[in-house]
């Protein structure tokens, strides 16, 4: 390819709306252009990167027994109604009607379609296991489409679905996909970590890992152990309750005036108690149910744990001040767990009954109780692990203090079990002729998000630094002057030679200053640059520069093609 003919509109200035570096650099390097919020066109170089990631994904899926299919983007509502997700998927689902008023959606995922396919085609245990995948656009009307390709409304995903005879088969499929994902992200040159993740209340048989690219801009928070292999999304990480020692029980509880003290900080300061000595009492609303949640004042409630423990609400949120007033007769800041109305469910974090003495709201405006003894005075209908893990806590596997990091979720593997095969009736006959439900797993890679994640990890102030396996081209040739016939000739010859060797090479044949060409080459992030100028060419030499290290060396023009080839081959070994 010649740069003079390439649609590669690079920009010097940072686009105003691009918050994260990958978004900024993808726009500046001319890889993508926006069509609508969260919807993008891939320009030629962007598409090349995407195709390379897809190829890696495809190779690894095929190696693990995956068979590629292509399912429709437009999905009939009936299937979603059969699985029960038409109602629960909510506003993220793009819904549409055809001219006959039939309902459809744009696929955000394909469990329904694939299960429908399999129920129609699979009869016998002999046809299992079956592992089908596709690489395709997905549609999710995200609440906040942002960060460029990181959170699009139209994005590209690889999704594989496994169908096995039993749990043991599912375990095997799951392990294969887990291993494949490790290879995919390693081959893409990403620094990543598989973490235990939340399977949600509808998570079938459980078991799920997310693959996190570690980057400060990540939307996820993960904890990991520096000494063993434990790593988990904070949403999921289990906690052991901790007891605050050196607290003494003193007499009976007292009602104290706390005028206009509504926040934990205000109350603690006013009463001179640490946050660990206070119980936060929160009135929650899960769909149409209301309940109280108790947690120690210094802790953060983990709503995902709460929702899972209570069976999975579609919507879970703090009750409004009006609802709090109706049920408890006070403002949210004064809600407490003493003598709560009969019939109101109270769920408490495990640490609450271990508190020897606590301050809490009195369900009365401007008043709190002090010196309550939670285990004796609070009705706690259910006591559960409901809190967020904190960095520094002991690893539950080995005891070392946990660390925290930010992560970008680039993939997830998931044991679905029989949720969809039961809902849609995907049945096979076993050896004894008995009907059984297929045991399913699903496994997604965010292909377009992986591309963005790579930039989050691999860039500097000049631009992108592509790992060789996913670079749009491996090598750019920059003739310093297009007026010097010798330089042009040498550049053309090297261009032909590299192509002959199978190197993906691009020639910057534009009539531009060398500085402009260098800037663009660094911005786009070609791993290798060969600069040809009249001075060194006089000695039969050209300059070879690696984008990653910035190291330059003078190389004989006779050897340079082979040398470039060697660098690339070394990087592509997998
Ligand atoms: P998130 O929690 O980030 O919204 P998710 O858990 O809903 O993602 P999955 O359903 O597990 O996503 O989809 C599989 C993969 O698809 C994710 O691991 C992620 O890499 C990618 N992905 C999901 N949503 C988006 C999006 N809006 N834009 C780009 N990639 C996405
Ligand atoms: Mg996920």
């Amino acid at each position: 390819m010649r740069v003079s003919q390439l649609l590669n509109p690079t920009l010097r200035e940072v686009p105003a709306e691009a918050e994260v570096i990958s978004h900024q650099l993808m726009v500046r390097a001319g890889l993508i252009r926006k069509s609508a919020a969260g919807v993008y066109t891939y320009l030629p170089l962007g598409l090349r990167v995407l195709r390379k990631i897809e190829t890696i994904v495809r190779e690894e899926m095929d190696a693990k027994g995956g068979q590629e299919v292509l399912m429709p983007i437009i999905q009939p509502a009936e299937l979603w109604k059969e699985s029960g997700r038409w109602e629960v998927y909510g506003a993220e689902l793009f819904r549409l009607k055809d001219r006959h008023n039939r309902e459809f959606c744009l696929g955000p995922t394909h469990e329904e379609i694939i299960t429908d396919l399999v129920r129609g085609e699979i009869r016998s245990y002999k046809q299992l296991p079956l592992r089908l995948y596709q690489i395709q656009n997905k549609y999710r009307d995200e609440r906040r489409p942002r960060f460029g390709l990181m959170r699009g409304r139209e994005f590209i995903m690889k999704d594989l679905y496994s169908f096995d005879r039993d749990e043991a088969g599912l375990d095997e499929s799951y392990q294969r996909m887990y291993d494949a994902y490790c290879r995919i992200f390693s081959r893409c040159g990403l620094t990543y970590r598989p973490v235990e993740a939340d399977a949600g209340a509808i998570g079938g048989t459980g078991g799920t890992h997310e693959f996190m690219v570690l980057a400060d801009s990540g939307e996820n928070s993960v904890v990991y152990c520096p000494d063993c292999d434990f790593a988990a999304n904070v949403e999921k990480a289990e906690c052991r309750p901790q007891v605050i020692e050196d607290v003494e029980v003193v007499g009976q509880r007292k009602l104290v005036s706390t005028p206009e003290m509504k926040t934990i900080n205000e109350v603690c300061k006013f009463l001179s108690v640490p946050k660990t000595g206070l119980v936060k009492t929160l009135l929650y609303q899960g769909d149409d149910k209301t309940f109280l949640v108790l947690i120690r004042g210094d802790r953060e409630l983990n709503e995902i744990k709460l929702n899972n423990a209570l069976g999975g609400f579609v919507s879970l949120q703090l009750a409004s001040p009006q609802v709090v007033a109706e049920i408890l007769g006070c403002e949210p800041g004064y809600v407490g767990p003493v003598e709560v109305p009969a019939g109101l469910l109270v769920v408490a974090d495990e640490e609450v009954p271990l508190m020897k003495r606590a301050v809490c709201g009195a369900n009365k405006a401007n008043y709190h109780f002090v010196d309550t003894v939670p285990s004796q005075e609070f009705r706690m209908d259910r006591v559960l692990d409901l809190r967020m893990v904190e960095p520094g806590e002991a690893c539950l596997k080995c005891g070392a203090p946990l660390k925290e990091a930010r992560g970008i979720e680039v993939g997830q593997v998931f044991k679905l079990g029989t949720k969809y095969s039961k809902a849609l009736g995907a049945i096979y006959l076993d050896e004894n002729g008995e009907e059984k439900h297929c045991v399913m797993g699903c496994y997604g890679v965010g292909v377009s998000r992986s591309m963005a994640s790579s930039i989050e990890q691999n860039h500097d102030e000049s631009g992108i630094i592509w790992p060789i396996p996913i670079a749009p081209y491996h090598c750019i040739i920059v003739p310093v002057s297009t007026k010097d016939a010798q330089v042009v000739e040498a550049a053309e010859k090297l261009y032909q030679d590299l192509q002959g060797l199978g190197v993906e090479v691009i020639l910057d044949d534009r009539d531009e200053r060398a500085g402009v060409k260098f800037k663009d080459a660094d911005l786009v992030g070609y791993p290798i640059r060969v600069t040809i100028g009249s001075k060194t060419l006089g000695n039969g030499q050209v300059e070879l520069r690696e984008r990653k290290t910035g190291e330059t060396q003078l190389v004989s023009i006779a050897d340079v093609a082979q040398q470039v080839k060697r660098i690339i081959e070394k990087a592509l070994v997998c």
Side-chain angles (χ1 to χ4, degrees), residues 299-432:
R299 299 301 198 187
E300 197 186 331
L301 177 70
N302 183 330
E303 285 191 354
I304 301 213
K305 286 185 182 174
L306 177 67
N307 201 12
N308 289 343
L310 297 186
F313 298 108
V314 175
S315 118
L316 175 72
Q317 59 199 13
L318 276 170
S320 66
Q322 291 86 321
V323 174
V324 174
E326 267 168 44
I327 296 182
L328 296 158
C330 64
E331 289 172 63
Y334 299 101
V335 169
V338 175
E339 291 167 6
V340 294
L344 181 63
L345 178 74
V346 183
V347 291
D349 178 68
E350 290 171 328
E351 287 183 339
V352 175
L354 299 179
M355 293 169 75
K356 295 181 188 148
R357 188 174 107 201
V359 171
C360 62
N363 291 329
K364 184 174 171 186
N366 300 322
Y367 282 93
H368 278 78
F369 282 123
V370 298
D371 299 337
T372 61
V373 180
S375 60
Q376 292 166 18
E377 296 175 72
F378 303 172
R379 171 165 62 78
M380 290 176 270
D381 302 310
R382 295 185 65 188
V383 176
L384 305 154
D385 168 16
L386 294 177
R387 69 179 177 89
M388 281 293 194
V389 70
E390 288 175 14
E393 279 187 43
C395 169
L396 293 190
K397 265 191 171 169
C398 77
L402 293 175
K403 295 200 160 178
E404 196 171 25
R406 306 296 300 172
I408 303 167
E409 183 196 321
V410 286
Q412 183 163 19
V413 291
F414 209 101
K415 290 185 186 175
L416 288 170
T418 51
K419 176 176 157 63
Y420 294 95
S421 53
K422 278 193 176 141
L424 292 149
I427 285 166
Y428 70 93
L429 294 178
D430 71 7
E431 295 92 323
N432 308 316

Side-chain angles (χ1 to χ4, degrees), residues 73 79 83 162 165 167 181 200 226 237 283 290 303 315 338 365 384 397 454 468 489 512 521-522 541 544 550 554 574:
I73 286 168
L79 285 178
S83 74
S162 64
R165 290 148 70 169
E167 291 288 334
Y181 279 28
L283 189 68
T290 328
E303 285 191 354
S315 118
V338 175
L384 305 154
K397 265 191 171 169
S454 172
I468 288 176
E489 196 187 316
E512 288 279 3
D522 279 357
Q541 287 180 316
L544 180 74
L554 286 175
C574 53

Side-chain angles (χ1 to χ4, degrees), residues 140 142 149-153 155-157 210 219-220 409-412 444-449:
R140 296 184 185 178
E142 299 273 359
L149 296 191
M150 208 73 93
R151 184 166 296 285
R153 295 199 294 170
F155 59 97
I156 295 167
M157 197 203 286
E210 289 164 341
E219 290 185 288
N220 294 274
E409 183 196 321
V410 286
Q412 183 163 19
V445 170
V447 177
S448 41
R449 190 184 280 181

Side-chain angles (χ1 to χ4, degrees), residues 183 187 469 566-574:
R183 282 186 55 84
R187 283 183 64 189
R566 272 199 298 279
I567 296 171
I568 293 158
E569 275 177 351
K570 207 168 134 210
L572 291 180
V573 176
C574 53

Side-chain angles (χ1 to χ4, degrees), residues 36-49:
V39 180
Y40 292 88
T41 294
Y42 294 83
L43 303 190
L45 292 184
L47 186 63
R48 283 183 73 92
V49 175

